[in-house]
Amino acid sequence: MSKLRVHLLGVLVLLTGLLSTAGARSAAALPDDLWFDPAAAATLTVQSGRFTDGLGREVVLRGYNVSGETKLAENNGLPFASVADARKSAIALRALGGGNSVRFLLSWAYAEPVRGQVDTAYLAAATAQMGAFLDAGIRIYPDFHQDLYSRHLFDPDSWYTGDGAPKWAVDAGDYPDEYCGICPFWGQNITSNAAVTEASYDFWHNTYGLQDAFLTTAQTTMTYVEQHLTDAQFAGVVGFDPYNEPHAGVYDSGQTSRAWEKDVLWPFYVKFRARMDAAGWQDKPAFVEPNLFWNANIDFQKQEGGLLDSGTLGPRYVFNTHFYDQKAISGVFMWGKAENGQYAGDFGTVRDRAAATGTAAIVSEFGHPLSGTVSDKAPTVLKAMYQALDSRVKGGSWWTSPTQSGPVLSGSQWQWDIYNGRHRELMNGNPDKVLTTGDAWNDEDLSAVRLDDSGTAVLRQDARLLDRIYPSATAGRTVAFTYEDRSRDGSTTLTWNPVPSSLPRVAELVGSGQYALQVWRSDGSAEPTELHLPASFPTASTTVVSDLGVTASPPAYTRTTPIAAAREPGGTGSRRLLLTAAESGVLHYALVTNGATAPSATLLNAARTELANWASTTVG
């Protein structure tokens, strides 16, 4: 789409919001909106393998899964007990966790508790909770979540539980009594529990009409959401994840995992895509997941896949995958902690698959346990995962090979559950087995947040790790990006991408502080490039060195200010750095750091000269 058409579209979107007719679904602009924000908030699309906003800017989605609470019965399959709790969670997610998006979990079991009868009260409650995030300026993509097919497969005294399909779907089949054998990890039930594998097989083969029923409920759900959100809110819904972590359960005789993806999984996605269109979601992509074992990092778990035979997915689909370091989680296959660049190859494969399928990529789940025997690995595992989302080049090598970074990946960490450690879940309905600790689901404990005794949301992980600088919207194309968060592993500061000694004045400016470096090629937009500013970057402590200028304290935004700071839309108090470059096709750079205290003009200009020379010689 030409820049002229993009700007005209933005004007039309803005005028539509201002001149809405009587009876049309409309909503007031979000708190802290700037002049370009309403147009930017138009429906996200996929263009040239990137997410793009209503102004055509390249968008990176970062956030969390909201939340594993949906897998529990205590709040009837909803992420929150109330809209007020959803609003509290959304504000904290933006202000403390730095997120601009969430994967919003839904439950088929609660959406259709009786076959053929969708519970509109459930849909109303879920939609209202979605609205709390959308009104905070947070984009969402819903997900009909399942793990181990259904909780109704499991006995009241079982070691494990599941979520997903309703009881009537389980009752339709004659499944064996659930049993996993020697299974220290709940995920082993996926392939070792005959009740789970046979029920999954029946779903994928539409036995008893199960898949048809699910698709009908999904369409009804999407129709309800589209009709009961305002136009402005619905624009913030970026797409739909049809099915969490799909797996065949049982392969047909002679069938490979790759053939299953081609002959069974992909046709399901095509059907789901048609249901999206019928529900009024024509302009939103389906976030489709491959066989969940396609990128397992334990050899005996890995299965060939990655939608290899689906051709060019194009803008109506997004390549959507998960990644957990099963070696680290096992406690057996990886004894030490994660290292600099540990997941560059794994996330590089995600970039490559998305590029091969002609669409954008998102890692919609990643994380690591925060308690238990392997929790000591969490600080390094999560740092390495965020590092790999930012760039496919590990720290140390980045400064000499920045153009090999690849696109900045979107991602949603598992998870954001404000009820962590405060649950009251009757596991499999058993009143003698009340779960309160962790995530209250199969002994998991991955939530980045909890409520303290006063009811205030607080982080359970290092804020330096979670609340990160990232290029939330780039007016043009990101060429390279890196962020050194200086997060901690206990008392040890992890610095994996130090400024090289060849840039002494830049290193002096950064010191022991955090820093980001964004390199991009502008497209001539009047609207700025945006970088999320963490709470650790208050305006008075934020230094920016760019070809656009230098500042030790970015001023308030105006259209004529090339480097400025402003609040992000939504009224959460979160902030952004705005970089305006009017030229088209010009290479720009911006170093953002909180390491300097009142740096001199001499130091700023010297650092600028070093960065200009570096950009000229390494990027061109």
Side-chain angles (χ1 to χ4, degrees):
M1 181 182 292
S2 69
K3 290 304 299 177
L4 177 60
R5 290 183 62 194
V6 167
H7 285 299
L8 288 175
L9 176 61
V11 171
L12 288 172
V13 170
L14 185 58
L15 289 175
T16 300
L18 296 173
L19 303 175
S20 57
T21 58
R25 300 176 304 156
S26 61
L30 293 179
D32 300 320
D33 266 356
L34 295 174
W35 65 273
F36 57 87
D37 285 322
T43 297
L44 211 67
T45 56
V46 176
Q47 296 183 30
S48 301
R50 306 290 197 276
F51 291 111
T52 54
D53 66 12
L55 298 171
R57 297 181 302 175
E58 178 182 288
V59 167
V60 173
L61 301 173
R62 288 288 176 88
Y64 304 83
N65 281 261
V66 176
S67 76
E69 175 69 16
T70 301
K71 304 201 287 190
L72 307 182
E74 62 183 4
N75 281 326
N76 299 312
L78 291 166
F80 303 99
S82 65
V83 174
D85 277 3
R87 186 175 300 112
K88 175 188 291 189
S89 182
I91 292 171
L93 187 145
R94 193 79 152 134
L96 299 179
N100 66 357
S101 60
V102 296
R103 182 173 181 243
F104 193 97
L105 274 58
L106 297 172
S107 169
W108 179 22
Y110 286 92
E112 189 186 6
V114 177
R115 183 163 194 164
Q117 298 181 27
V118 173
D119 186 345
T120 55
Y122 174 80
L123 298 186
T127 302
Q129 292 181 11
M130 290 181 197
F133 283 82
L134 295 164
D135 290 344
I138 298 170
R139 295 183 185 268
I140 69 169
Y141 58 108
D143 154 52
F144 261 121
H145 205 80
Q146 73 80 36
D147 283 301
L148 309 185
Y149 190 71
S150 173
R151 67 177 293 164
H152 300 289
L153 284 170
F154 291 84
D155 299 328
D157 60 350
S158 176
W159 288 3
Y160 299 107
T161 189
D163 76 293
K167 185 177 185 299
W168 62 259
V170 172
D171 291 343
D174 183 19
Y175 303 120
D177 190 44
E178 57 92 7
Y179 177 70
C180 192
I182 303 175
C183 292
F185 303 104
W186 71 259
Q188 292 174 268
N189 285 270
I190 297 169
T191 55
S192 299
N193 189 326
V196 174
T197 59
E198 291 182 23
S200 298
Y201 179 92
D202 282 350
F203 176 85
W204 293 116
H205 289 78
N206 199 27
T207 310
Y208 316 116
L210 292 171
Q211 192 177 118
D212 288 341
F214 173 82
L215 290 169
T216 298
T217 297
Q219 180 178 337
T220 301
T221 299
M222 289 185 284
T223 299
Y224 186 96
V225 170
E226 191 275 335
Q227 292 177 347
H228 290 82
L229 292 176
T230 67
D231 289 339
Q233 288 174 328
F234 189 59
V237 180
V238 298
F240 206 109
D241 185 343
Y243 199 90
N244 180 69
E245 296 182 352
H247 185 261
V250 180
Y251 291 114
D252 287 320
S253 178
Q255 186 180 51
T256 64
S257 57
R258 178 170 177 172
W260 177 80
E261 278 195 351
K262 176 178 180 289
D263 298 331
V264 178
L265 181 60
W266 182 249
F268 166 76
Y269 287 146
V270 172
K271 293 175 185 176
F272 196 96
R273 173 72 264 178
R275 298 297 185 123
M276 291 178 69
D277 294 347
W281 294 53
Q282 301 94 324
D283 298 330
K284 302 180 187 296
F287 285 55
V288 294
E289 302 183 36
N291 173 353
L292 84 156
F293 294 121
W294 82 280
N295 61 342
N297 72 339
I298 296 179
D299 289 341
F300 63 79
Q301 283 189 333
K302 192 166 187 175
Q303 299 178 8
E304 187 180 25
L307 304 179
L308 295 170
D309 300 300
S310 300
T312 300
L313 302 185
R316 285 167 57 78
Y317 298 90
V318 167
F319 187 79
N320 171 20
T321 188
H322 298 174
F323 183 80
Y324 293 93
D325 186 345
Q326 296 298 340
K327 290 182 180 179
I329 291 173
S330 73
V332 175
F333 297 104
M334 186 183 113
W335 288 100
K337 298 184 179 183
E339 299 177 348
N340 176 16
Q342 180 108 4
Y343 307 115
D346 298 293
F347 285 51
T349 299
V350 174
R351 289 178 171 90
D352 293 341
R353 282 304 304 138
T357 58
T359 190
I362 189 167
V363 183
S364 61
E365 281 191 31
F366 62 94
H368 190 82
L370 300 183
S371 64
T373 58
V374 298
S375 61
D376 65 309
K377 302 178 191 296
T380 56
V381 166
L382 268 294
K383 180 179 175 73
M385 288 181 177
Y386 275 110
Q387 178 193 48
L389 287 172
D390 289 344
S391 171
R392 70 189 302 160
V393 181
K394 71 177 184 178
S397 301
W398 188 90
W399 285 90
T400 56
S401 306
T403 57
Q404 296 178 21
S405 292
V408 181
L409 286 176
S410 294
S412 301
Q413 183 177 329
W414 186 275
Q415 65 160 325
W416 189 268
D417 174 19
I418 61 172
Y419 306 118
N420 176 270
R422 295 177 179 271
H423 294 283
R424 186 169 176 78
E425 173 70 3
L426 277 61
M427 184 173 178
N428 298 319
N430 187 344
D432 296 323
K433 199 170 186 179
V434 181
L435 306 182
T436 60
T437 60
D439 300 340
W441 196 86
N442 286 343
D443 294 325
E444 288 200 332
D445 185 12
L446 284 87
S447 178
V449 71
R450 64 177 178 86
L451 297 180
D452 65 15
D453 290 341
S454 69
T456 301
V458 294
L459 294 178
R460 301 179 64 229
Q461 294 176 272
D462 189 347
R464 290 163 288 229
L465 170 72
L466 299 180
D467 190 13
R468 310 176 62 80
I469 294 181
Y470 58 92
S472 52
T474 301
R477 178 60 67 93
T478 296
V479 176
F481 174 77
T482 190
Y483 180 52
E484 178 48 75
D485 56 43
R486 310 272 193 185
S487 57
R488 271 62 163 180
D489 178 12
S491 60
T492 301
T493 298
L494 301 173
T495 302
W496 288 353
N497 193 7
V499 178
S501 58
S502 58
L503 299 169
R505 305 315 300 274
V506 175
E508 179 183 352
L509 185 68
V510 170
S512 61
Q514 299 167 295
Y515 81 87
L517 183 51
Q518 164 81 342
V519 183
W520 78 104
R521 199 168 295 279
S522 59
D523 62 4
S525 296
E527 301 83 18
T529 287
E530 300 185 30
L531 278 72
H532 170 72
L533 283 177
S536 59
F537 280 75
T539 300
S541 302
T542 299
T543 298
V544 182
V545 176
S546 171
D547 65 292
L548 301 175
V550 295
T551 177
S553 180
Y557 173 77
T558 72
R559 295 194 192 202
T560 58
T561 307
I563 303 173
R567 291 187 174 182
E568 291 172 319
T572 62
S574 59
R575 297 165 51 258
R576 52 186 163 166
L577 183 71
L578 303 173
L579 305 167
T580 303
E583 311 92 323
S584 179
V586 174
L587 187 74
H588 300 282
Y589 62 86
L591 173 80
V592 188
T593 183
N594 59 5
T597 301
S600 67
T602 300
L603 177 58
L604 291 173
N605 289 324
R608 185 182 185 185
T609 298
E610 286 184 351
L611 285 171
N613 292 335
W614 169 83
S616 175
T617 57
T618 62
V619 182

